[in-house]
Amino acid sequence: MRSLLREILELIRPDFQRDRVVPGTGFTAVLTSFTAGAMAFLVVFALALSLAADRLGQRWSAALAQTATVRISAPVDQVEAQLAAVLGILNTTPGIQSARGLTAEEQQNLLQPWFGVDLPLGDLPIPRLIDITEDETGFDAAGLRLRLAAEAPGAVLDDHARWRKPLVQAAGRLSWLAILCIGVIGLTTAAMVILAARAALAANAQVITVLRLIGAKDHYIAAAFVRRFTLRAFVGASVGVALAAVALFALPGAGDHVAVLSGLRFQGVEWIVLVAVPPVLALVSLLATRYAAMRVLEGLS
Amino acid sequence: MIDLNGAAYSYGGGELLSDMSLAIVQGGFYFLTGPSGAGKTTFLKLCYAALFPTKGTIRLFGQDVTTLSRDDIAQIRRRIGVVHQDCQFIDHLSVQENIAMPLSVSGNATLAEDANLKELIAWVGLTYRAKALPPELSGGERQRAALARAIIMSPDVIIADEPTGNVDWEMSERLLTLLVELNKLGKTVVIATHDLSLIRSAKSQVQARILRISNKQLQLAGANL
């Protein structure tokens, strides 16, 4: 690891004479810069998606954690009795901080988005809901279910796990998918840089022949190309990141409540990750160019 | 310095050079002659490890070339200055930068601005062309620039492949004089040429051994040259 680091440092060490060996212009220069810029742009959006999905998962998890609901579906004449029984049980259950029956108005508000404002709640057999807030220790859901079944047969405990788990899982998978995208983008960048480096090496066959003739070691020749490509990738990636940052900044923020796009913009210290993108892509370019150069040079006398 | 022992070189199924045995010694001056296509350039490439023998052995400075790593070969080439037939420059660098390139390659980049470099450029008569690009040079200027690049590292051996092939008689004489001067400084010189008048001219200045490649064989040529 230390020798690799030393080799990388040697590869990027400026050497005026060596750096001039490879011509500074040509289509490979444009190709490398453009590829790095485009890939950096995509990386930033993949990062934004990953972080947003992660935040979303955490928000869902936090919103539904430490709460539970008891639903009482019983004949109309038994509802109030079962409600009182359930509240009695809940108030004596360890791990429950508070339990409160929702008022008719609150239940109407919950149903309003689906059934409209004129819902005759009194005429419908609507189950009664009890909102539970856990304390830090939490309660024994299995034990509570048994007690409810014995004393209030119409009561069903919903601890939100069946809702929360798939939502958090989905957000987590989305986050990992975005990370996978970043990996694919990194590999694509490496492949493009290898192609560009091989083209540059072929276009500069005369330079390589001369350098070998006068006693240049492979490492010296490779370093001349590596520095060129690394710098080009760094500059291209910096431009790509700047453009992506502007585009992200133009997106609606989390406070704007625009469904899917809300929260895609970086928040707070997350903007710092942008600084890491150009050096990382430059490192990918460095390793890819070194690989291509050494492979080509090994085939020459 | 360069020892061939039964060395042969084959390519594409056919033998181009066979059973060559020779010791190129320090301070020697050698001409290599033979008709076009006889294998002179191939022989020279074997001498600076651009090619490897397919039979027998070649030892450069005591080391068997077939056992050398790529870095070892690069190191050895710093001890052998080569003036290639078509000179081979890096066209986007100036003449001065091309001449100084072996210094950079060997990690002595600071010497590139050294007074010795300017002195060397003056010695080959290219001071007025130091900032020019190689494609702007005439044939003779290219050969002299290539010679300056070949000797800037003060190599033990100088190998020149048809150095007078593209220049007039006067420039040939001038190049020969430069090579003779280097030989008098103790450098080994090997020149491949089919220009017999150049060899005759050299005989008055230096004690040269003349090698000939004929029918794939390396022979010591007689006085009839």
Side-chain angles (χ1 to χ4, degrees):
Chain A
M1 187 66 190
R2 190 173 289 176
S3 66
L4 178 68
L5 194 65
R6 196 164 48 232
E7 193 177 340
I8 288 172
L9 287 174
E10 174 61 24
L11 283 172
I12 58 175
R13 180 179 60 82
D15 179 334
F16 178 73
Q17 193 71 11
R18 182 187 65 190
D19 293 347
R20 281 183 39 77
V21 164
V22 184
T25 55
F27 81 96
T28 56
V30 179
L31 179 63
T32 310
S33 302
F34 178 78
T35 301
M39 294 303 170
F41 192 89
L42 295 176
V43 162
V44 169
F45 273 91
L47 270 172
L49 181 64
S50 175
L51 290 169
D54 193 48
R55 277 197 305 271
L56 197 61
Q58 284 177 15
R59 200 160 63 227
W60 284 339
S61 190
L64 296 174
Q66 295 194 312
T67 62
T69 306
V70 173
R71 190 179 72 245
I72 301 169
S73 302
V76 178
D77 58 330
Q78 294 178 23
V79 168
E80 288 305 321
Q82 289 204 18
L83 178 66
V86 170
L87 284 171
I89 292 168
L90 294 174
N91 287 331
T92 58
T93 302
I96 291 179
Q97 195 176 63
S98 64
R100 180 181 70 83
L102 264 60
T103 62
E105 190 183 2
E106 284 173 324
Q107 294 207 176
Q108 180 133 20
N109 286 341
L110 286 174
L111 295 170
Q112 225 175 56
W114 285 274
F115 296 107
V117 291
D118 300 326
L119 181 67
L121 205 59
D123 299 342
L124 293 172
I126 303 294
R128 291 297 303 271
L129 298 176
I130 298 172
D131 188 27
I132 300 171
T133 304
E134 300 172 34
D135 64 15
E136 287 173 2
T137 56
F139 63 85
D140 172 17
L144 181 59
R145 280 197 181 94
L146 287 174
R147 287 181 67 194
L148 290 174
E151 297 186 35
V156 177
L157 173 68
D158 179 0
D159 61 1
H160 301 160
R162 67 193 171 109
W163 305 107
R164 189 172 61 200
K165 200 173 170 187
L167 283 174
V168 173
Q169 267 181 350
R173 281 177 190 159
L174 196 59
S175 182
W176 279 108
L177 189 65
I179 290 169
L180 184 68
C181 283
I182 293 169
V184 171
I185 291 168
L187 288 174
T188 309
T189 307
M192 292 293 284
V193 170
I194 286 172
L195 283 175
R198 287 183 73 92
L201 287 158
N204 289 287
Q206 166 83 352
V207 171
I208 294 169
T209 304
V210 171
L211 290 173
R212 287 291 301 168
L213 189 71
I214 61 176
K217 294 182 179 176
D218 289 347
H219 187 79
Y220 178 95
I221 302 170
F225 285 88
V226 164
R227 260 184 63 79
R228 280 270 183 214
F229 277 79
T230 302
L231 287 174
R232 286 169 189 166
F234 183 78
V235 171
S238 298
V239 172
V241 165
L243 292 175
V246 171
L248 269 182
F249 203 74
L251 284 178
D256 298 336
H257 301 294
V258 184
V260 179
L261 292 180
S262 66
L264 196 57
R265 188 195 291 175
F266 290 120
Q267 290 177 9
V269 291
E270 287 174 2
W271 287 98
I272 292 173
V273 298
L274 293 184
V275 179
V277 174
V280 169
L281 279 178
L283 181 65
V284 169
S285 177
L286 181 150
L287 296 173
T289 313
R290 184 185 175 279
Y291 169 80
M294 295 308 278
R295 287 290 296 268
V296 168
L297 291 170
E298 280 165 11
L300 302 175
S301 63
Chain B
M1 303 196 100
I2 301 175
D3 297 293
L4 294 86
N5 188 6
Y9 181 73
S10 302
Y11 181 76
E15 202 164 61
L16 300 181
L17 295 169
S18 60
D19 196 24
M20 299 179 293
S21 294
L22 173 73
I24 293 176
V25 297
Q26 188 174 359
F29 199 109
Y30 300 84
F31 279 109
L32 177 66
T33 67
S36 293
K40 296 191 292 293
T41 300
T42 301
F43 174 83
L44 294 183
K45 284 184 172 178
L46 288 166
C47 289
Y48 60 87
L51 295 174
F52 298 93
T54 48
K55 250 191 242 173
T57 57
I58 295 178
R59 301 180 81 83
L60 301 181
F61 306 104
Q63 299 179 77
D64 185 343
V65 291
T66 55
T67 64
L68 297 173
S69 69
R70 290 179 61 78
D71 279 358
D72 291 337
I73 289 169
Q75 204 70 41
I76 274 184
R77 284 186 188 160
R78 294 175 191 178
R79 299 178 67 185
I80 303 174
V82 180
V83 181
H84 208 268
Q85 194 169 6
D86 53 8
C87 298
Q88 297 193 335
F89 293 108
I90 298 174
D91 286 344
H92 63 275
L93 298 183
S94 69
V95 169
Q96 181 172 317
E97 286 173 312
N98 267 285
I99 292 172
M101 189 52 73
L103 296 172
S104 166
V105 158
S106 60
N108 294 316
T110 51
L111 295 175
E113 291 300 321
D114 197 87
N116 289 341
L117 172 64
K118 291 187 171 61
E119 205 174 297
L120 177 62
I121 293 172
W123 185 67
V124 293
L126 286 175
T127 303
Y128 70 107
R129 301 295 269 161
K131 302 290 181 193
L133 295 176
E136 297 166 4
L137 301 183
S138 69
E141 288 170 336
R142 287 173 69 83
Q143 292 291 354
R144 282 182 282 150
L147 178 60
R149 184 184 63 190
I151 63 176
I152 195 166
M153 291 288 289
S154 192
D156 299 304
V157 182
I158 296 151
I159 291 176
D161 189 2
E162 301 281 6
T164 60
N166 300 316
V167 297
D168 57 28
W169 171 247
E170 192 183 339
M171 187 55 68
S172 296
E173 283 289 303
R174 196 166 165 188
L175 281 166
L176 180 63
T177 304
L178 291 174
L179 289 164
V180 170
E181 279 182 41
L182 288 166
N183 179 245
K184 285 177 179 167
L185 292 170
K187 309 295 182 192
T188 304
V189 177
V190 182
I191 303 172
T193 183
H194 59 264
D195 183 356
L196 298 185
S197 59
L198 184 75
I199 299 173
R200 289 191 194 103
S201 175
K203 282 176 110 177
S204 62
Q205 301 176 54
V206 69
Q207 191 173 1
R209 293 191 73 186
I210 297 154
L211 311 167
R212 181 179 173 80
I213 294 178
S214 180
N215 296 324
K216 304 173 189 174
Q217 300 280 330
L218 184 66
Q219 304 160 345
L220 189 60
N224 57 339
L225 292 167

